[in-house]
């Protein structure tokens, strides 16, 4: 009995323990399970541990369900990733393609702006950038066409080279003046073109080793079209922040202009010379006629008339001789003995004789710049300074005044100069007189020939300097100055 009770208790215990499994199998079996006979229901309550084939089948089913769920999630994730990637990488691909088109010069690229996210913002910014680039390019093209039109239509020749001396620009005027074709010159080294004999002297100036000065001007005599031509040029080295970008050479044919100016100058000079010679010829003729009548009539004072007439003729002949001498001096290239001169004793020696003058003018010498030297011809400097001093004294007659002389230093074209300045307290210059002061044979004095200042300027420029005369700003008087190159 005790064994029977124990067996039944164990059977019930197994049934209670595996009741959920039996219920799950019962639910999986559907309606047929509810109507199964009692024997079958008793069999469902048997533990799965004692039914291995059913256990394995259920594990396989559970594993299949789990794997199916995971496969479904993976497929959904991949599909979502592809959709997201398409939405992100497709605009990026279009952006890369548009950037490449812009790099090739196509500024008509536009991206779609039908999105409101960050990609749409990038597309909008890209389109705005492209539009600004296109506007800038159009402005640059317009400016380039404008500059090219100017270069092709100006009368001056323009040639430019790169840092290596290769020709990059030749306009039509340069082709005409230099006698070179732009098609043959572009891309070639300037020195090679010069060696070929075409525009030799012009292209020699474009050699990178031709000169270290950043800016230079001058004149050249060239052979072009079977004739000699005089050109004036300006050469500029293009440099910024220590980098050399090339050279620009601008030149102009002045041959016809110089010939026209020379003709005009000779016409004006002939007129002035005729005027100057006519002045002394008139009293000579009058005196000669008067002496002739006196000789025929033999008046009592014939000797006085004859003496006065001959004196007048001699005086006027001396005037003619002086005119001829000054004209010869103006037209002749004077040989200058250029050497370093001490400014202090030179200027002081020139000014000292005028300190005690009879013109009621107080002459003072203020500063001689001790230990300063100039490169000049001493005789030419004396002649120029004396002329400027005498002009100042005559300008202040008869009222008198003051003439102050001083020396000062100045810089110009990266060179040191010394200015000898003469400032008077006279009435000053009228505008029409100031413009014509250095014209040959122009004079405001009845006894002058009008060549003094013209000769002074010629001498000063031959010494590498200049002479300037202008009214003193804000006060009466004139300032005249001789500028000479400093020797030390």
């Amino acid at each position: 009995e005790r064994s029977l009770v124990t067996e039944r208790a164990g059977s019930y215990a197994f049934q209670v323990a595996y009741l959920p499994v039996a219920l799950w199998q019962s639910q999986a079996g559907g309606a047929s399970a509810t109507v199964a006979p009692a024997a079958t229901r008793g069999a469902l309550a048997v533990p799965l541990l004692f039914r291995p084939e059913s256990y394995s089948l259920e594990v396989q089913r559970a594993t299949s369900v789990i794997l199916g769920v995971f496969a479904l999630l993976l497929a959904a994730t991949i599909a979502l990733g592809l959709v997201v990637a398409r939405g992100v990488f497709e605009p990026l691909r279009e952006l890369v393609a548009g950037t490449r088109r812009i790099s090739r010069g196509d500024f008509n690229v536009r991206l779609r702006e039908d999105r409101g996210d960050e990609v749409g913002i990038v597309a909008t910014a890209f389109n705005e950038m492209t539009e600004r680039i296109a506007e800038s390019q159009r402005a640059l093209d317009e400016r380039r066409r404008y500059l090219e039109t100017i270069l092709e239509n100006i009368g001056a020749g323009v040639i430019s080279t790169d840092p290596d001396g290769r020709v990059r620009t030749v306009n039509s005027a340069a082709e005409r003046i230099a006698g070179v074709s732009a098609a043959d010159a572009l891309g070639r080294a300037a020195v090679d073109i010069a060696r070929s004999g075409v525009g030799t002297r012009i292209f020699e100036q474009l050699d990178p080793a031709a000169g270290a000065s950043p800016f230079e001007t001058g004149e050249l005599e060239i052979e072009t079209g079977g004739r000699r031509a005089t050109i004036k040029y300006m050469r500029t080295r293009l440099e910024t922040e220590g980098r050399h970008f090339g050279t620009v050479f601008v030149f102009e044919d002045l041959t016809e202009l110089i010939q026209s100016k020379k003709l005009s100058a000779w016409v004006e000079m002939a007129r002035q010379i005729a005027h100057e010679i006519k002045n002394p010829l008139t009293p000579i003729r009058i005196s000669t006629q008067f002496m002739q009548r006196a000789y025929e009539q033999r008046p009592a004072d014939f000797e006085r008339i004859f003496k006065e007439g001959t004196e007048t003729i001699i005086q006027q002949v001396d005037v003619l001789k002086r005119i001829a001498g000054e004209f010869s001096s103006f037209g002749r290239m004077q040989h200058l003995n250029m050497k370093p001169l001490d400014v202090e004793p030179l200027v002081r020696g020139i000014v000292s004789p005028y300190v005690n003058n009879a013109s009621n003018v107080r002459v003072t010498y203020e500063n001689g710049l001790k230990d300063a030297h100039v490169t000049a011809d001493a005789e030419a400097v004396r002649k120029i300074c004396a002329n400027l001093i005498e002009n100042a004294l005559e300008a202040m007659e008869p009222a008198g005044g003051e003439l102050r002389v001083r020396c000062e230093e100045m810089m110009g074209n990266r060179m040191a100069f010394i200015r000898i300045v003469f400032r008077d307290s006279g009435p000053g210059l009228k505008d029409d007189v100031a413009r014509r002061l250095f014209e040959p044979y122009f004079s405001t004095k009845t006894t002058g020939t009008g060549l003094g200042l013209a000769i002074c300027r010629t001498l000063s420029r031959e010494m590498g300097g200049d002479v300037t005369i202008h009214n003193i700003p804000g006060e009466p008087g004139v300032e005249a100055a001789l500028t000479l190159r400093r020797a030390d």
Side-chain angles (χ1 to χ4, degrees), residues 101-102 105-111 130-131 134 138:
R101 289 175 61 184
I102 291 177
D106 182 6
F107 300 106
N108 296 320
V109 182
R110 294 295 182 274
L111 301 182
T130 305
E131 183 62 30
R138 285 193 294 269

Side-chain angles (χ1 to χ4, degrees), residues 92-102 104 109 111 126:
L92 290 180
R93 186 183 65 80
E94 294 179 359
L95 180 62
V96 171
T99 304
R100 289 175 177 172
R101 289 175 61 184
I102 291 177
R104 291 192 295 266
V109 182
L111 301 182
F126 178 85

Side-chain angles (χ1 to χ4, degrees), residues 291-317:
M291 291 170 58
Q292 185 179 11
R293 288 196 300 268
Y295 176 77
E296 293 175 352
Q297 298 175 2
R298 296 297 179 97
D301 57 348
F302 173 77
E303 292 183 2
R304 178 186 62 81
I305 295 173
F306 182 80
K307 184 178 180 180
E308 291 177 354
T310 54
E311 289 177 354
T312 300
I313 292 173
I314 293 173
Q315 290 174 358
Q316 299 305 318
V317 169

Side-chain angles (χ1 to χ4, degrees), residues 285 324 392 452:
R285 180 181 178 82

Side-chain angles (χ1 to χ4, degrees), residues 212-445:
S213 176
F215 180 79
E216 183 178 345
T217 63
E219 291 185 0
L220 292 175
E221 295 287 338
I222 65 172
E223 293 283 347
T224 177
R227 67 182 182 91
R228 293 189 63 84
T230 302
I231 68 168
K232 184 176 179 62
Y233 70 88
M234 293 181 293
R235 184 182 62 211
T236 305
R237 288 170 58 88
L238 303 178
E239 296 180 352
T240 178
E241 298 180 355
R243 296 180 59 191
H244 175 52
F245 293 94
T247 304
V248 175
F249 191 78
V250 182
F251 55 100
E252 186 176 4
D253 189 353
L254 301 180
T255 306
E256 295 183 0
L257 179 62
I258 291 174
Q259 292 176 350
S260 177
K261 289 289 185 182
K262 284 182 178 180
L263 180 60
S264 299
W266 279 111
V267 170
E268 179 64 19
M269 185 171 293
R271 187 184 66 82
Q272 294 287 354
I273 292 175
H275 175 73
E276 293 295 329
I277 293 177
K278 183 179 178 181
N279 289 335
L281 287 180
T282 300
I284 290 176
R285 180 181 178 82
I286 294 174
S287 298
T288 304
Q289 291 176 345
F290 187 62
M291 291 170 58
Q292 185 179 11
R293 288 196 300 268
Y295 176 77
E296 293 175 352
Q297 298 175 2
R298 296 297 179 97
D301 57 348
F302 173 77
E303 292 183 2
R304 178 186 62 81
I305 295 173
F306 182 80
K307 184 178 180 180
E308 291 177 354
T310 54
E311 289 177 354
T312 300
I313 292 173
I314 293 173
Q315 290 174 358
Q316 299 305 318
V317 169
D318 290 339
V319 171
L320 288 174
K321 183 178 179 180
R322 187 176 74 252
I323 292 173
E326 291 186 355
F327 175 71
S328 176
S329 180
F330 176 72
R332 183 179 65 252
M333 183 68 70
Q334 183 172 341
H335 176 70
L336 299 177
N337 182 19
M338 302 289 290
K339 62 181 180 180
L341 301 174
D342 193 347
V343 175
E344 168 66 24
L346 177 64
V347 179
R348 186 177 295 278
I350 295 171
V351 176
S352 295
Y354 296 95
V355 173
N356 300 317
N357 60 83
S359 301
N360 196 24
V361 175
R362 181 170 174 264
V363 179
T364 58
Y365 176 57
E366 297 178 354
N367 178 21
L369 290 179
K370 293 183 178 180
D371 300 327
H373 295 78
V374 294
T375 303
D377 179 87
E379 189 60 34
V381 173
R382 290 190 184 94
K383 186 172 185 177
I384 295 171
C385 292
N387 190 286
L388 297 178
I389 292 174
E390 290 175 2
N391 287 343
L393 296 178
E394 292 178 2
M396 290 183 283
E397 289 180 349
E402 183 180 12
L403 174 63
R404 291 175 294 168
V405 183
R406 74 172 188 275
C407 299
E408 60 188 23
E409 297 179 89
M410 65 170 290
M411 292 294 297
N413 295 328
R414 298 185 177 183
M415 296 181 63
F417 291 88
I418 301 295
R419 294 180 74 236
I420 306 173
V421 183
F422 305 87
R423 293 176 67 115
D424 65 57
S425 59
L429 299 170
K430 296 180 180 180
D431 292 340
D432 57 338
V433 173
R435 288 193 298 266
R436 303 185 61 190
L437 278 176
F438 296 98
E439 291 184 9
Y441 296 103
F442 173 78
S443 176
T444 58
K445 299 177 290 186

Side-chain angles (χ1 to χ4, degrees), residues 9 39 51 103 125 132 134 141 182 228 304 385 465:
R51 299 170 59 192
S103 66
R132 288 196 296 268
D141 290 341
R228 293 189 63 84
R304 178 186 62 81
C385 292

